[in-house]
Amino acid sequence: MIAERKKRFLLGIDVGTSAVKAALVDADTQEVVASVSCPEGVEREIKSARQGWAEQDPEQWWADVKTAILWLRERAGANLEAVEAIGITYQMHGLVLTDAQQNLLRDAIIWCDSRALQEGVAAVDAIGAERCLQQLLNYPGNFTAAKLAWVKDHEPDVYAKIDKVMLPGDYIALRLSNTVTSTVSMLSEGVFWDFKEQALSRDILDFFGFNPGLFGTTQAVFSTHGVLSAAMARELQMKPGTPITYKAGDQLNNALSLNVLKPGEIATTAGTSGVIYAVTDQLVYDPLSRINGFAHVNHLPEQTRIGLLLCINGAGISNRWIRDSTGAKYSYAQMNEMAAAVPAGADGLLYFPFGNGAERMLENRILQAGFAGIDLNKHTTAHLYRAVQEGIAFAFRYGLDIMRSNGLQAKVVKAGKANLFLSRVFAEVFVNVTGLTLELYDTDASVGAAIGAGIGLGIYTEANAFEKLHRAAVMAPEAGQRQRYETIYQDWLQQTDQQIFQNK
């Protein structure tokens, strides 16, 4: 009689803007045993007390993480004490602050918040634009360092109590393990890292007056970032001492989940924001900092791996907004069907997916979202849905042209079959307006985090971690469709340029 194989699992946690997702993966087969999203059927709100502000409560993230883990146990019918390691991915560029007792000091200032632009500009003026780009690969902009400076300037009582500065995933790791660590990837995405010196940036620390002790110990992405505390193990019905062996920002993790690890490979995602992410082995930067370079998950002192990131703030959030604004009567799948029944170009209706904070690809300008060409006698709700998806795809093309002007030559892009890429309309417009061949894979961020945990634990290597990654579909541009969408895009581009000119 053959003994039944003893199960061992990997737990992946994705702390997103709209929800927390979690996946339980069989460590030996890489089969997804169960996956959940918390909350279900709704999306977490972004607090915006003033125009350009964006905050969320880390305690809500933590509550959702715990709920998601307990749901996994219930739905999988699995013993979570068999989890060998935990991986965490998270919305990038946020700012979480705690005191010496690990208490939160304020809500998190998240990625799309624009309040710290002036602090970022002041740093560039003082340090020098060229030095910022050469050493940091970015302008400080409104990244985490500038957000921390804003707190220092505007909330000195809060700043005085800070013991540790974290990104969203670091806070979840803290709650699980009572441990705070940093990585080069985390520090670089906050624009705290000097790539030439391979250390915390003295320029940033000195100009803003930050104490280096505010950050956790710097270590590799694939390493132990704490172990599950006894108290949390009891509450979550898991094994105490379970290690957290992977922690990375969402776009780095999306690339990992798609096996985008080598120079020349690119990934894309269209969740709350839209991103194109290209890996290079050079310390390169855009002269206007419209695209940004961060240390990839496999970046090491002896192995340069930089992820060049193009971000569009108003992607999936635009799709959610139009759904809510039309009464939330239809599911996203129904919206996709309605959009598909409308001809390309939405009968002249154009949408501009801005209005979610300062757009880095527009040199940190704050433009508003909007429609153009509305015909009250022609356009229906279905036209609105199609125009929104086309407008988001056009914004991808706009940013891709910036990346191409910086030397990107890729012809194939990988994406998870999720979010907007579930829409045939969006995927069709995307490939034909960009000219890229799109490969869609059956994976998501929480699964990627679980695989990352397996790499960190040593179960997998970079070479074999993705042998079972399944390619679900391939979409290639078509000559006739390319010409059709190019005409529509040029109209969209002209009107976008007019908005940019008016906001100079």
Side-chain angles (χ1 to χ4, degrees), residues 15 61 88-91 96 167-174 247:
V15 184
W61 301 336
I88 301 172
T89 185
Y90 55 88
Q91 49 172 294
V96 182
L167 273 70
D170 303 320
Y171 181 70
I172 299 305
L174 168 67
K247 192 171 57 170

Side-chain angles (χ1 to χ4, degrees), residues 36-87:
V36 298
S37 180
C38 181
E40 291 183 313
V42 296
E43 299 173 24
R44 291 295 180 209
E45 294 298 320
I46 296 173
K47 301 177 184 179
S48 186
R50 300 184 187 178
Q51 184 176 12
W53 288 24
E55 298 184 0
Q56 288 185 319
D57 180 4
E59 279 301 294
Q60 183 65 67
W61 301 336
W62 174 233
D64 288 344
V65 166
K66 292 191 293 183
T67 298
I69 291 173
L70 294 174
W71 282 355
L72 277 182
R73 178 181 178 276
E74 177 184 326
R75 295 179 191 184
N79 179 5
L80 294 190
E81 290 193 351
V83 171
E84 298 271 315
I86 301 167

Side-chain angles (χ1 to χ4, degrees), residues 249-381:
D250 54 6
Q251 300 309 325
L252 289 70
N253 178 75
N254 180 62
L256 171 82
S257 70
L258 295 164
N259 194 21
V260 171
L261 295 166
K262 301 180 183 67
E265 296 177 334
I266 66 172
T268 187
T269 183
T272 302
S273 62
V275 166
I276 297 177
Y277 186 93
V279 179
T280 178
D281 57 4
Q282 304 296 314
L283 296 179
V284 296
Y285 53 82
D286 175 61
L288 297 175
S289 202
R290 296 166 297 177
I291 56 176
N292 303 103
F294 308 115
H296 195 25
V297 292
N298 55 348
H299 177 80
L300 298 168
E302 66 277 11
Q303 175 181 275
T304 300
R305 292 291 183 269
I306 302 300
L308 294 176
L309 186 150
L310 161 81
C311 182
I312 302 153
N313 288 5
I317 194 170
S318 289
N319 211 34
R320 185 187 78 181
W321 175 82
I322 195 61
R323 177 178 180 268
D324 292 347
S325 297
T326 54
K329 295 184 293 184
Y330 305 108
S331 68
Y332 287 119
Q334 290 172 320
M335 290 167 58
N336 295 340
E337 291 176 5
M338 294 168 69
V342 173
D347 288 323
L349 183 61
L350 297 174
Y351 174 73
F352 306 93
F354 309 118
N356 189 30
E359 292 282 358
R360 297 200 296 274
M361 72 174 185
L362 303 180
E363 300 179 54
N364 280 324
R365 291 187 178 88
I366 300 177
L367 271 63
Q368 303 305 311
F371 290 93
I374 295 175
D375 186 326
L376 301 178
N377 297 307
K378 182 193 303 182
H379 293 135
T380 64
T381 302

Side-chain angles (χ1 to χ4, degrees), residues 3 41 46 60 63 84 136 138-139 187 216 222 236 262 274 319 335-336 338 367 406 444 458 470-471 481:
I46 296 173
Q60 183 65 67
E84 298 271 315
L136 310 172
N138 304 287
Y139 292 157
L187 293 167
F222 301 108
L236 299 173
K262 301 180 183 67
N319 211 34
M335 290 167 58
N336 295 340
M338 294 168 69
L367 271 63
N406 280 274
D444 70 13
H470 177 248
R471 188 171 69 183
Q481 291 283 65

Side-chain angles (χ1 to χ4, degrees), residues 75 123 141 151 158 340 433 451 489:
R75 295 179 191 184
V151 173
V158 170
V433 79
I451 299 299
Y489 172 72

